Amino acid sequence: MISQKKLLHEVSGWLKVFEDGSTDRTWTGPPEVQFMVEPVQPHEEFINGVATRDVVVDKDSGLQLRIYLPEIKPRDEIKLPIILHFHGGGFCISRADWYMYYHMYTNLARSAKAIFVSVYLRLAPEHRLPAAIDDGWSALLWLQSLAQGDSHEPWLVDHADFNRVILLGDSTGGNIVHELAARAGKVDLNHMRLTGGILIHPGFVRSTRSRSELEQPESPMLTLDMVDKFLSLALPVGSTKDHPITCPMGSGAPDLDTLKLPPFLLCVAEMDMIVDTEIEYYEAMKKAEKDVELLISPGVAHSFYLNKIAVERDPQTASQTEILISRITEFINKH
């Protein structure tokens, strides 16, 4: 007789957690969406103007990054900004090589003429926070080691401007942007300069439901089940959603006016379930006299730009994705 493992948690078709500590991240949602969560193999030849490469930057931990290099004309000697990218997924799911990220960030690498470096973050519940934050910090320090000549990666050494490093995160990746920017403000990043942060629909919440959580419709990219269960599995044991990582504008977090932060671009979606707490973060940043721009995308929901089906079929999603890419490109060019 085959014994079945006891299921402890199941999250909206994305994740199963079993009593023995094992997990299953096999997609069990609509099959037509499957392609968006499939891995894309790296290709060092240029395809549609972008080449990709995976590199292991820490053999002990296995920390891995994916690099997106836009095609450069042979006579063009200009150095390109580095965008250090952190994927979303509630700290529990998704990978840097998923098609949804590949599609978006090849587009952005071409549009912004920037080198994107995306981190394969460790996932909860196997690796609870601050594991993903620490992975991001390790990636940033690796970039610094390249700038100092202590490490070598030819695409970056040959083509990157280490004085123009910008952090970018989708959803809970935006939380990582805030955390790393705050940490970087306390140290001297020799031979490298952090010039900005881009937070796209960051996972900022409170332990009490916001009005938008109660009133906005759920979307394919975000449900209340995902908000509650992912964060309960990801935050340190015993923590609530008022933890500083998920509520940096709350009383339990360092005062924003004490933080040394680079300019930020905060992107929110009008129909996002967590838009109210994202706007609360924006208002707290402005009150603390931080340099933060706000882009509100009307008529769309959380991570709309990653949903290729909606981008292709819905004119509103398509137009707002174009505007989002344009504003991000503008911010990168400015910083």
Side-chain angles (χ1 to χ4, degrees):
M1 181 177 177
I2 299 175
S3 61
Q4 289 190 330
K5 295 188 292 185
K6 184 178 178 182
L7 181 65
L8 289 183
H9 305 284
E10 185 169 9
V11 190
S12 298
W14 292 100
L15 173 67
K16 292 179 180 178
V17 181
F18 298 95
E19 189 176 40
D20 65 359
S22 62
T23 58
D24 182 357
R25 293 182 173 86
T26 304
W27 172 248
T28 58
E32 62 270 20
V33 179
Q34 178 76 38
F35 77 95
M36 291 196 292
V37 299
E38 292 287 350
V40 178
Q41 293 301 311
H43 50 85
E44 297 202 5
E45 71 279 11
F46 288 98
I47 298 177
N48 295 324
V50 178
T52 59
R53 167 188 289 173
D54 285 346
V55 296
V56 176
V57 300
D58 187 328
K59 292 181 180 178
D60 293 332
S61 69
L63 180 64
Q64 191 175 4
L65 311 175
R66 170 155 294 191
I67 304 173
Y68 295 83
L69 177 69
E71 196 163 10
I72 303 164
K73 296 177 182 178
R75 295 181 181 178
D76 196 348
E77 297 180 0
I78 189 171
K79 296 287 188 177
L80 305 179
I82 303 169
I83 314 303
L84 186 58
H85 169 253
F86 313 103
H87 63 73
F91 305 110
C92 291
I93 61 166
S94 83
R95 287 172 50 87
D97 60 3
W98 275 11
Y99 178 81
M100 66 169 69
Y101 299 116
Y102 175 85
H103 177 69
M104 177 64 179
Y105 291 104
T106 50
N107 282 341
L108 256 176
R110 281 193 302 269
S111 173
K113 285 295 182 186
I115 301 173
F116 279 72
V117 179
S118 187
V119 185
Y120 287 83
L121 300 168
R122 282 177 294 169
L123 302 176
E126 299 95 327
H127 305 283
R128 285 181 177 261
L129 292 168
I133 311 291
D134 293 339
D135 287 345
W137 184 248
S138 295
L140 188 64
L141 293 183
W142 177 74
L143 290 178
Q144 183 189 23
S145 75
L146 293 178
Q148 294 178 155
D150 296 332
S151 302
H152 187 72
E153 202 300 310
W155 282 7
L156 288 163
V157 170
D158 292 346
H159 303 296
D161 182 353
F162 290 93
N163 285 311
R164 292 179 65 199
V165 177
I166 294 174
L167 308 176
L168 185 152
D170 309 280
S171 191
T172 45
N175 302 51
I176 298 175
V177 169
H178 177 90
E179 288 292 317
L180 293 190
R183 189 183 294 190
K186 300 176 183 177
V187 300
D188 183 8
L189 293 173
N190 290 321
H191 300 92
M192 187 176 77
R193 193 162 69 93
L194 188 62
T195 59
I198 303 169
L199 302 82
I200 312 177
H201 311 170
F204 296 149
V205 292
R206 287 187 176 273
S207 57
T208 54
R209 291 270 190 246
S210 66
R211 183 173 177 177
S212 58
E213 282 180 290
L214 295 171
E215 296 182 357
Q216 292 286 14
E218 296 186 332
S219 73
M221 296 294 192
L222 191 66
T223 65
L224 286 177
D225 188 47
M226 293 166 70
V227 171
D228 293 344
K229 289 183 180 177
F230 281 159
L231 295 184
S232 72
L233 293 168
L235 286 166
V237 174
S239 300
T240 71
K241 286 183 280 188
D242 293 320
H243 189 281
I245 293 175
T246 44
C247 191
M249 62 287 189
S251 60
D255 288 340
L256 293 174
D257 57 9
T258 66
L259 302 181
K260 182 182 177 183
L261 300 172
F264 276 3
L265 171 63
L266 174 64
C267 307
V268 305
E270 181 187 28
M271 298 178 68
D272 195 335
M273 293 176 59
I274 56 174
V275 66
D276 283 359
T277 33
E278 292 170 340
I279 293 296
E280 182 188 352
Y281 169 81
Y282 170 74
E283 292 172 345
M285 288 279 283
K286 295 298 285 187
K287 184 177 181 181
E289 299 184 345
K290 300 305 177 186
D291 183 350
V292 54
E293 300 175 33
L294 178 65
L295 171 65
I296 301 177
S297 302
V300 286
H302 191 82
S303 296
F304 65 89
Y305 57 96
L306 296 177
N307 185 343
K308 188 172 186 288
I309 296 173
V311 171
E312 291 182 342
R313 297 180 182 177
D314 175 52
Q316 179 70 4
T317 302
S319 66
Q320 290 306 312
T321 299
E322 288 182 7
I323 292 169
L324 177 67
I325 290 174
S326 177
R327 280 294 301 275
I328 291 173
T329 298
E330 179 185 318
F331 182 87
I332 292 171
N333 290 338
K334 188 166 60 175
H335 297 285

